[in-house]
Amino acid sequence: MLGKIALEEHFATEETIGDSQPYAPAASWPELRSRLLDIVDRRVREMDANGVELMLLSLNSPAVQAIPHAAKAVDLARRANDFLAEEIAKRPDRFRGFAALPMQHPEAAAEELRRAVVELGFVGALVNGFSELDENGTTSHYDTEDHRPFWAEVERLEVPFYLHPRNPLRQDARVYGDHDWLLGPAWAFGHETAVHALRLIGSGLFDAHPGVRIVLGHLGENLPYGLWRLDNHNAWHGQRASGYRARRPVADYILRNFLITTSGNFTTQALLSAIMSLGSDRILFSTDWPFENVDHAAHWFDAASISETDRLKIGRTNALREFRLGG
Amino acid sequence: MLGKIALEEHFATEETIGDSQPYAPAASWPELRSRLLDIVDRRVREMDANGVELMLLSLNSPAVQAIPHAAKAVDLARRANDFLAEEIAKRPDRFRGFAALPMQHPEAAAEELRRAVVELGFVGALVNGFSELDENGTTSHYDTEDHRPFWAEVERLEVPFYLHPRNPLRQDARVYGDHDWLLGPAWAFGHETAVHALRLIGSGLFDAHPGVRIVLGHLGENLPYGLWRLDNHNAWHGQRASGYRARRPVADYILRNFLITTSGNFTTQALLSAIMSLGSDRILFSTDWPFENVDHAAHWFDAASISETDRLKIGRTNALREFRLGG
Amino acid sequence: MLGKIALEEHFATEETIGDSQPYAPAASWPELRSRLLDIVDRRVREMDANGVELMLLSLNSPAVQAIPHAAKAVDLARRANDFLAEEIAKRPDRFRGFAALPMQHPEAAAEELRRAVVELGFVGALVNGFSELDENGTTSHYDTEDHRPFWAEVERLEVPFYLHPRNPLRQDARVYGDHDWLLGPAWAFGHETAVHALRLIGSGLFDAHPGVRIVLGHLGENLPYGLWRLDNHNAWHGQRASGYRARRPVADYILRNFLITTSGNFTTQALLSAIMSLGSDRILFSTDWPFENVDHAAHWFDAASISETDRLKIGRTNALREFRLGG
Amino acid sequence: MLGKIALEEHFATEETIGDSQPYAPAASWPELRSRLLDIVDRRVREMDANGVELMLLSLNSPAVQAIPHAAKAVDLARRANDFLAEEIAKRPDRFRGFAALPMQHPEAAAEELRRAVVELGFVGALVNGFSELDENGTTSHYDTEDHRPFWAEVERLEVPFYLHPRNPLRQDARVYGDHDWLLGPAWAFGHETAVHALRLIGSGLFDAHPGVRIVLGHLGENLPYGLWRLDNHNAWHGQRASGYRARRPVADYILRNFLITTSGNFTTQALLSAIMSLGSDRILFSTDWPFENVDHAAHWFDAASISETDRLKIGRTNALREFRLGG
Ligand SMILES: [Zn+2]
Ligand SMILES: [Zn+2]
Ligand SMILES: [Zn+2]
Ligand SMILES: [Zn+2]
């Protein structure tokens, strides 16, 4: 399929490139490194070869979120966003930007998002999970009251917020034992991100700001499969499930306030399952370049056993609508 | 459908009943309590009313696993199993038993399993996740070397091992923040159990003991949906994914050594997804009584949009084969 | 689900009621007869009880199509449409109309369609398969050149054309032997209608008039399941498949020019299959009252294992869009 | 996947080769001709290249069925079966045979089937739809009383009967108008064969001979999609649906007495739909060589988004069981 739009596509700056090294075995690191630092050269060739017209670019993970000093996080986000804006300016026909945000400081994050959207022309934000607030492992998820003004700004700007994975801190990862292979994309990424998304829902955020849209990668971080059980539990506990502060069932918010992408999860079984659970209007193509290959994503997607109607929506038109990319 | 067999069906003794109280709001506790303590009275009426011919019974959660003293755990397991055997003897046409096991002490667990199968006629074991080894939060998952003799015994006895959920210890649950609604069946149960299952796989257990069969409830604790991504990650890291000690991809073991049940997950979307990922031979009906209603499970299952061939297998004949229940 | 819109909902006049008698066993005929002759009384109660806000009404089958005299067909269609318009005027909040058309006389059919849409406010046409041109079994399908001006008018008026089933003439039904149970909805309806739809496609109609939209009932008369094989055959024969005069593969037209409804086919397996083949934007709820029960259709549809997003589209918003029913 | 077994794989003799010419455009005929006349040469290379271990071979269509003289049909069938047995003897490790049968003469057909199974070692019969009894278009379907002794023999021999498509006679094909592209595999094959299968069911054959197993190609000739509607109609008419003489609903017989193959229908949407309707135990891999390519079939099947459990069953073990091919 020609004209695909891809949403979870990463780059790195010299300053953040090191954050991606743990995700590659030593032998693969030179390749991964060069892929991340390339913005508009090889990347465009990959896109051309695989029918990808447009990529929405974002900084690698965890980058800004792992900086335990708010001021430094603010500074890094600004510089990364400026750098990205310059790169996009070289090929505005092929790239748009997601803002990196210093969520350690919600007011600064709101301000940086506004600047990125209004001044730099970015189409949303991509944030790598929770933020570290200090070097003792104090972390911040974004369901707390102090983030509400930030979300108000997201709603006002009418841009999606991509909640991208990161690993838990080592002290919170005891369940994985010595099975480090379960960290990262295999399992821990999905768990961390799904729980964060559920906390946003359970906090009542989407009752207060119904216009906020969250994007989840990897076909929804297992949430589509678990959706019924999430709300069955709530039903069993009645309206008073401990700590659930939202007005409606979880599924209502997933269907209304969330979008999911195919990044890094190129399997038709899960895609069909997601279509059965969420419907094809909420699903968008993505590759997760450079951690995944664009050709792997494209070859799979172009041949997946879905209707051509859905292929066009997932591959392109849902993104046009949600990010207002139309001419 | 008549003749259904259900596998994840719990009871409690006066000694363990308190473990289930946290899972019920106060108003529901008397009802839940009486359901758990009833073994063959109301339970049989529920079964008769809903086409369930046979239930495989198991102790409530976490019970034995939460006892931080091995000797006490051994003692409780023995007494609970003896109690269950007596109850089953009242209606051997309608009930069979799963052994509770003191996994804190792997040799004792192997011995108790042997006794339960050989002497009490039990058809397998059901264990509530990791075991607590002391009161400081030292925990034991069963992928470690010291459990290998236990698994050798499981293989020798040719009985399935049901890995049932429990909650993480509070110190390992920081990711849930103050969202206690995410504990238990809504999300934490599935995560804890899926990771434990993956650790068993990654440890190489099933290479050493290919005859070991693990049963997972709740339509597989989200594993079917995440299966592709688990192995894609391994592929990307080559053979050397950090800490992965098994010979083949994760999916191979899931398809060969695992069975999943419908307990507490009465949703056709996930069931169809599981059929697409695992095939109907690996899926078995269950209700999760008394935490779920038998009628909810049965009404859903009897009308779910699957083939009648699959309904018979999932509802009955897969269990006959896996537990050798045939006449 | 409240607010459903249903599209294949029939009534009869005293003049056409007899055409439906063969479809009912004698014991059911009084009930079927009274259901068909009722327009806005019991019908509204059925709708209220089952969450149906709006019905698009159409004359029973075969009615006008089985009249082997063009002038009489023209006359009957006019009178039936006028009658329907009067009935709708009693409850314009709950009903809209499909025009019956004398397809025996394409120019008169075009004129009557224009009159029905412009003067009577109808939202499209519903035609019961091929027309009989004389009493010797000469029949007319609508893929021939002489129908092109009619289709030009359909395109100009921008209203859907519902191609409803009828039985083959007895001389064309030898394949069914003495198995009369295969006539009507069981099988012959679907075959006759699917072939007619394929003839429209193969004639090149939709190349000449790309704005024409055809609605098929009964989840697409088996076409979604057979779609791949239709075009595989074409591919094998190259561009020159004997008698195929359209520019693109069959599936392209099905996806672009066709809509299907759930009338009389209340099965989730086929619905999911249709979603996988056509996508949920092309599927619309219908009941086929009074040949099917509204409650059967609604209970099934409201609980079918599809996403809520798709339920809303199939149940309501697709119809709002395709028939411009919005306020 | 290695070790696949394919069931609908055709050859021709010099005598029957002409019957296949109408299915190929002139430019393709030399290729098709040489494929049909080759039995164990190129065919084995195609199998080796595509992971097909075993093919069950059958005569091309319509061959014996189109001979309007019973004695000649009997003679041709015998000679074709003898020829096939000799060819198979060259590579008994890679081929088994389906008997061609002179169904014009049911007693002779029973005798020839017995001879083919007992003396030639064939594993079943493959018959190309209805038989022509004279040159005036008198046809015979196999649901009539005079075929009951034949079916008794099929039951006694415990071998499957493959009901393969053929085209209707021209006089019965008026519905296709001048759209000859709808004849053959595109549509007419499926309709003719599905109706014949339904006549067998409706005749009560499977009540009288419950051991008879019918194989249908092309993912079931659209029957899986239409299954619900077939029985819904019966239900509406009560027990007395005109001419329906079987004791149970159509779906019961489809699930118990029928098998379907993937021949010539390489589409995952329909395969998943068939799995949802019939279950994977009733579906078997086939290619329809030489009318379809073995590589097309194999590449599609090996990568189709089904579980590996089902791939093994559909690709191999269902055939081992149904045809008793095991060592
Ligand atoms: Zn990513
Ligand atoms: Zn349980
Ligand atoms: Zn109708
Ligand atoms: Zn064939």
Side-chain angles (χ1 to χ4, degrees):
Chain A
M1 172 192 164
L2 294 176
K4 288 192 288 289
I5 300 173
L7 278 73
E8 188 184 324
E9 317 304 333
H10 307 298
F11 72 97
T13 66
E14 290 291 349
E15 202 171 351
T16 67
I17 184 77
D19 282 28
S20 294
Q21 190 157 4
Y23 296 117
S28 313
W29 174 236
E31 165 71 7
L32 180 60
R33 187 178 192 284
S34 90
R35 287 180 176 196
L36 274 163
L37 293 174
D38 163 85
I39 318 286
V40 300
D41 186 18
R42 171 173 176 188
R43 197 177 291 254
V44 171
R45 290 196 305 275
E46 294 278 349
M47 294 162 71
D48 287 344
N50 293 290
V52 178
E53 181 182 311
L54 192 74
M55 272 191 176
L56 311 191
L57 299 181
S58 52
L59 197 59
N60 60 331
S61 174
V64 180
Q65 270 59 61
I67 299 180
H69 304 282
K72 288 185 185 170
V74 170
D75 183 56
L76 174 59
R78 275 191 78 94
R79 280 182 294 111
N81 292 336
D82 286 340
F83 171 80
L84 177 56
E86 280 169 38
E87 291 295 317
I88 289 172
K90 296 175 186 167
R91 291 303 301 267
D93 55 328
R94 306 302 293 275
F95 298 105
R96 305 296 292 271
F98 275 124
L101 294 181
M103 298 295 289
Q104 293 87 340
H105 189 317
E107 292 73 25
E111 189 180 316
E112 179 61 10
L113 176 60
R114 194 180 328 117
R115 188 185 77 91
V117 171
V118 175
E119 295 180 22
L120 305 181
F122 283 13
V123 297
L126 184 143
V127 165
N128 295 308
F130 64 87
S131 291
E132 293 173 53
L133 298 185
D134 57 34
E135 285 167 350
N136 302 320
T138 308
T139 57
S140 164
H141 286 73
Y142 314 137
D143 56 303
T144 49
E145 273 306 311
D146 53 320
H147 287 90
R148 285 292 170 89
F150 169 78
W151 293 114
E153 186 66 29
V154 170
E155 188 177 41
R156 206 172 298 123
L157 291 167
E158 297 185 333
V159 291
F161 178 99
Y162 204 121
L163 186 65
H164 185 273
R166 67 170 294 179
N167 267 329
L169 300 184
R170 183 52 82 175
Q171 69 204 74
D172 293 316
R174 204 165 62 122
V175 71
Y176 300 110
D178 59 352
H179 292 261
D180 282 1
W181 64 280
L182 287 168
L183 295 173
W187 194 262
F189 270 11
H191 172 62
E192 175 63 41
T193 312
V195 170
H196 200 160
L198 291 169
R199 288 176 58 159
L200 296 180
I201 291 171
S203 74
L205 167 61
F206 303 104
D207 298 319
H209 297 293
V212 170
R213 284 168 294 157
I214 306 291
V215 188
L216 298 177
H218 316 103
L219 285 173
E221 315 291 8
N222 288 348
L223 281 171
Y225 194 88
L227 212 48
W228 185 91
R229 195 154 152 79
L230 276 156
D231 284 319
N232 179 51
H233 176 60
N234 282 337
W236 195 77
H237 274 217
Q239 298 287 28
R240 287 167 301 274
S242 183
Y244 189 73
R245 296 179 288 279
R247 294 202 194 112
R248 301 195 309 274
V250 169
D252 277 26
Y253 300 102
I254 294 282
L255 287 169
R256 202 172 305 203
N257 297 93
F258 283 73
L259 303 163
I260 69 174
T261 79
T262 67
S263 64
N265 210 351
F266 312 141
T267 167
T268 307
Q269 278 96 330
L271 177 60
L272 288 171
S273 177
I275 289 175
M276 286 193 288
S277 295
L278 307 190
S280 57
D281 290 328
R282 319 299 298 171
I283 308 174
L284 301 93
F285 176 74
S286 290
T287 82
D288 212 349
W289 174 265
F291 301 95
E292 305 290 342
N293 278 16
V294 178
D295 56 340
H296 294 173
H299 292 174
W300 163 72
F301 180 72
D302 291 355
S305 52
I306 56 174
S307 72
E308 295 309 315
T309 310
D310 283 348
R311 201 178 324 277
L312 184 61
K313 292 163 79 165
I314 296 170
R316 179 175 176 82
T317 55
N318 287 344
L320 291 179
R321 181 190 67 239
E322 295 292 333
F323 293 95
R324 299 190 181 160
L325 299 168
Chain B
M1 171 191 164
L2 294 175
K4 288 191 289 287
I5 299 173
L7 278 72
E8 187 185 324
E9 316 306 332
H10 307 299
F11 72 97
T13 66
E14 291 290 350
E15 203 171 351
T16 68
I17 184 76
D19 282 29
S20 294
Q21 189 159 5
Y23 295 117
S28 313
W29 175 237
E31 165 71 7
L32 179 61
R33 187 177 191 287
S34 90
R35 288 180 175 195
L36 275 163
L37 294 174
D38 163 87
I39 316 289
V40 300
D41 187 18
R42 172 175 175 186
R43 198 178 290 254
V44 172
R45 290 198 305 276
E46 294 279 349
M47 294 162 72
D48 287 343
N50 293 291
V52 178
E53 180 182 312
L54 193 73
M55 272 191 177
L56 311 190
L57 299 181
S58 52
L59 196 59
N60 60 330
S61 174
V64 181
Q65 270 58 62
I67 297 179
H69 305 282
K72 289 186 185 169
V74 171
D75 183 56
L76 174 59
R78 274 190 79 95
R79 282 183 290 112
N81 292 335
D82 285 340
F83 171 81
L84 178 56
E86 281 169 40
E87 291 294 318
I88 290 172
K90 297 175 186 167
R91 290 304 302 268
D93 54 328
R94 306 303 293 276
F95 299 104
R96 305 297 291 272
F98 275 124
L101 295 180
M103 299 294 290
Q104 292 89 338
H105 189 317
E107 293 74 25
E111 189 182 314
E112 178 62 9
L113 176 61
R114 194 179 330 115
R115 188 184 77 92
V117 170
V118 175
E119 297 179 23
L120 304 181
F122 284 12
V123 296
L126 184 143
V127 165
N128 296 308
F130 65 87
S131 290
E132 294 173 54
L133 298 185
D134 59 33
E135 285 168 348
N136 303 319
T138 308
T139 57
S140 165
H141 287 73
Y142 313 137
D143 55 303
T144 50
E145 274 306 312
D146 55 318
H147 286 90
R148 284 292 169 90
F150 169 78
W151 292 115
E153 185 66 28
V154 169
E155 190 177 40
R156 206 172 299 124
L157 292 167
E158 298 185 333
V159 291
F161 178 98
Y162 203 121
L163 185 64
H164 186 273
R166 67 171 294 181
N167 267 329
L169 300 185
R170 184 52 84 174
Q171 68 205 75
D172 295 315
R174 205 166 60 124
V175 70
Y176 301 110
D178 59 352
H179 292 261
D180 282 1
W181 65 280
L182 287 168
L183 295 172
W187 194 263
F189 269 11
H191 172 62
E192 175 63 43
T193 312
V195 169
H196 200 161
L198 291 169
R199 287 176 58 159
L200 296 179
I201 291 172
S203 74
L205 167 61
F206 303 103
D207 298 318
H209 298 292
V212 170
R213 284 168 294 156
I214 306 292
V215 188
L216 298 177
H218 317 103
L219 285 173
E221 314 291 9
N222 288 349
L223 281 172
Y225 194 89
L227 213 48
W228 185 91
R229 195 153 153 79
L230 276 156
D231 284 318
N232 179 51
H233 175 61
N234 282 339
W236 193 77
H237 274 218
Q239 299 285 31
R240 286 169 300 275
S242 182
Y244 190 73
R245 297 178 287 279
R247 293 203 196 111
R248 301 196 309 277
V250 169
D252 277 26
Y253 301 101
I254 295 282
L255 286 169
R256 202 170 306 203
N257 298 92
F258 283 74
L259 303 164
I260 69 174
T261 78
T262 66
S263 64
N265 210 351
F266 312 141
T267 166
T268 307
Q269 278 96 330
L271 177 60
L272 288 171
S273 178
I275 290 175
M276 285 192 289
S277 294
L278 308 189
S280 56
D281 290 329
R282 320 298 300 170
I283 309 175
L284 301 93
F285 176 74
S286 290
T287 82
D288 213 349
W289 175 265
F291 301 95
E292 304 289 342
N293 277 17
V294 179
D295 55 341
H296 294 173
H299 292 174
W300 162 73
F301 179 72
D302 291 354
S305 51
I306 57 174
S307 72
E308 295 309 315
T309 310
D310 283 348
R311 201 179 323 278
L312 184 61
K313 292 163 80 166
I314 297 171
R316 178 174 176 82
T317 56
N318 287 343
L320 290 179
R321 181 189 68 240
E322 295 292 333
F323 293 95
R324 299 187 181 163
L325 299 169
Chain C
M1 173 192 163
L2 294 176
K4 288 193 288 289
I5 300 173
L7 278 74
E8 187 185 325
E9 317 305 332
H10 307 300
F11 72 97
T13 66
E14 291 290 350
E15 203 171 351
T16 68
I17 183 77
D19 283 29
S20 293
Q21 190 158 5
Y23 296 117
S28 312
W29 174 236
E31 166 71 8
L32 180 60
R33 186 178 193 285
S34 89
R35 287 181 176 195
L36 274 163
L37 294 173
D38 163 86
I39 317 287
V40 299
D41 186 18
R42 172 173 175 187
R43 196 177 292 255
V44 171
R45 290 197 305 274
E46 294 279 348
M47 295 162 71
D48 287 345
N50 293 290
V52 178
E53 180 182 312
L54 193 73
M55 274 191 176
L56 311 191
L57 299 180
S58 53
L59 196 59
N60 61 330
S61 173
V64 180
Q65 270 59 62
I67 299 179
H69 304 283
K72 287 185 185 170
V74 170
D75 184 55
L76 174 60
R78 275 191 78 94
R79 281 182 292 112
N81 292 336
D82 285 341
F83 172 80
L84 177 56
E86 281 169 37
E87 291 294 318
I88 290 172
K90 296 175 186 166
R91 292 302 303 265
D93 54 328
R94 306 303 292 276
F95 299 105
R96 305 296 292 270
F98 275 126
L101 295 181
M103 298 295 290
Q104 293 87 339
H105 189 317
E107 292 74 25
E111 190 180 316
E112 179 61 9
L113 176 61
R114 194 180 329 118
R115 189 184 76 92
V117 171
V118 175
E119 296 180 21
L120 304 181
F122 283 13
V123 296
L126 184 145
V127 165
N128 295 308
F130 65 86
S131 291
E132 293 172 54
L133 298 184
D134 57 34
E135 285 167 350
N136 303 318
T138 308
T139 57
S140 164
H141 287 74
Y142 313 136
D143 55 304
T144 49
E145 273 307 312
D146 54 319
H147 287 90
R148 284 292 170 89
F150 169 79
W151 292 115
E153 185 67 28
V154 169
E155 189 177 40
R156 206 171 298 124
L157 292 167
E158 297 186 333
V159 290
F161 178 99
Y162 204 121
L163 186 65
H164 185 274
R166 67 171 293 179
N167 268 328
L169 300 184
R170 183 51 84 174
Q171 69 204 74
D172 294 316
R174 205 165 62 122
V175 71
Y176 300 110
D178 60 351
H179 292 261
D180 282 3
W181 65 280
L182 287 168
L183 295 172
W187 194 263
F189 270 10
H191 172 62
E192 175 63 42
T193 312
V195 170
H196 201 161
L198 291 168
R199 288 175 60 159
L200 296 181
I201 291 172
S203 74
L205 168 62
F206 303 103
D207 298 319
H209 297 293
V212 170
R213 284 169 294 157
I214 306 292
V215 188
L216 298 176
H218 317 104
L219 284 173
E221 314 291 9
N222 288 349
L223 281 171
Y225 194 87
L227 212 49
W228 185 92
R229 195 154 152 77
L230 276 156
D231 285 318
N232 179 51
H233 175 61
N234 282 339
W236 195 77
H237 274 217
Q239 298 286 30
R240 287 169 300 275
S242 183
Y244 189 72
R245 296 178 288 278
R247 293 202 195 113
R248 301 195 310 274
V250 169
D252 277 26
Y253 301 102
I254 295 282
L255 286 169
R256 202 171 305 202
N257 298 93
F258 283 73
L259 303 163
I260 69 174
T261 79
T262 66
S263 63
N265 210 351
F266 312 141
T267 167
T268 306
Q269 279 95 331
L271 177 59
L272 288 171
S273 178
I275 289 175
M276 285 192 289
S277 295
L278 308 189
S280 57
D281 290 329
R282 318 299 299 169
I283 308 174
L284 300 94
F285 176 74
S286 290
T287 81
D288 212 349
W289 175 265
F291 301 96
E292 305 289 342
N293 277 16
V294 179
D295 56 340
H296 294 172
H299 293 173
W300 162 72
F301 180 71
D302 291 354
S305 52
I306 56 174
S307 72
E308 295 309 314
T309 310
D310 283 348
R311 201 178 323 277
L312 184 60
K313 292 164 79 166
I314 296 171
R316 179 176 177 82
T317 55
N318 287 344
L320 290 179
R321 181 190 67 239
E322 295 292 333
F323 293 94
R324 300 189 180 161
L325 300 168
Chain D
M1 172 193 163
L2 294 175
K4 288 192 289 289
I5 300 173
L7 279 72
E8 188 185 325
E9 317 305 331
H10 307 298
F11 73 97
T13 67
E14 290 291 349
E15 203 170 352
T16 68
I17 183 78
D19 282 29
S20 294
Q21 190 158 4
Y23 295 117
S28 313
W29 174 237
E31 165 71 7
L32 179 60
R33 187 178 191 285
S34 88
R35 289 179 174 195
L36 275 163
L37 294 174
D38 163 87
I39 317 289
V40 299
D41 187 18
R42 172 175 175 186
R43 198 178 292 254
V44 172
R45 290 198 303 276
E46 293 279 350
M47 293 162 72
D48 287 343
N50 292 291
V52 179
E53 179 182 313
L54 193 74
M55 271 192 178
L56 311 190
L57 299 181
S58 52
L59 196 60
N60 60 331
S61 173
V64 181
Q65 270 58 62
I67 298 179
H69 305 282
K72 289 186 185 169
V74 171
D75 184 56
L76 174 59
R78 273 191 79 95
R79 283 183 289 112
N81 292 335
D82 286 340
F83 172 80
L84 178 56
E86 282 169 38
E87 291 294 318
I88 289 172
K90 297 175 187 167
R91 291 303 302 267
D93 54 328
R94 306 303 294 276
F95 299 105
R96 304 297 292 271
F98 275 125
L101 294 181
M103 299 294 290
Q104 293 88 339
H105 189 317
E107 292 74 25
E111 190 182 312
E112 178 61 10
L113 177 60
R114 194 179 331 116
R115 188 184 77 91
V117 171
V118 175
E119 297 179 22
L120 305 181
F122 283 11
V123 296
L126 183 143
V127 165
N128 296 307
F130 64 88
S131 291
E132 293 172 54
L133 298 185
D134 59 33
E135 285 167 348
N136 303 318
T138 308
T139 57
S140 165
H141 286 73
Y142 313 137
D143 56 303
T144 50
E145 274 306 312
D146 54 319
H147 286 90
R148 284 291 169 90
F150 168 79
W151 293 115
E153 186 67 28
V154 170
E155 190 177 39
R156 206 171 299 123
L157 292 167
E158 297 185 334
V159 291
F161 178 98
Y162 203 121
L163 185 65
H164 185 272
R166 66 171 296 181
N167 266 329
L169 301 184
R170 184 51 86 174
Q171 69 205 75
D172 294 315
R174 204 165 61 123
V175 70
Y176 301 109
D178 59 352
H179 292 261
D180 281 2
W181 65 279
L182 287 169
L183 295 173
W187 194 262
F189 269 11
H191 172 60
E192 175 63 42
T193 312
V195 169
H196 200 161
L198 292 169
R199 287 176 59 160
L200 295 180
I201 291 172
S203 75
L205 167 62
F206 303 104
D207 298 319
H209 298 292
V212 170
R213 284 168 293 156
I214 306 291
V215 188
L216 298 177
H218 317 102
L219 285 174
E221 314 291 10
N222 288 348
L223 280 172
Y225 194 89
L227 212 49
W228 185 92
R229 195 154 153 79
L230 277 157
D231 284 318
N232 179 51
H233 175 60
N234 282 338
W236 194 77
H237 274 216
Q239 298 286 30
R240 286 168 301 274
S242 183
Y244 189 73
R245 296 177 289 279
R247 292 202 196 112
R248 301 195 310 276
V250 170
D252 276 27
Y253 301 101
I254 294 282
L255 287 169
R256 201 170 308 203
N257 299 92
F258 283 73
L259 303 163
I260 69 174
T261 79
T262 66
S263 64
N265 210 351
F266 312 142
T267 167
T268 307
Q269 278 96 332
L271 177 59
L272 288 171
S273 178
I275 290 174
M276 285 192 288
S277 294
L278 308 189
S280 57
D281 290 329
R282 319 299 298 170
I283 308 175
L284 301 93
F285 177 74
S286 290
T287 81
D288 213 348
W289 173 266
F291 301 96
E292 304 290 341
N293 277 16
V294 178
D295 55 340
H296 294 173
H299 292 174
W300 162 72
F301 180 72
D302 291 354
S305 51
I306 57 174
S307 72
E308 295 309 316
T309 310
D310 283 348
R311 202 180 321 278
L312 184 61
K313 293 163 80 166
I314 296 171
R316 179 175 177 82
T317 55
N318 287 344
L320 291 179
R321 181 189 68 240
E322 296 292 334
F323 293 95
R324 300 188 181 163
L325 300 169

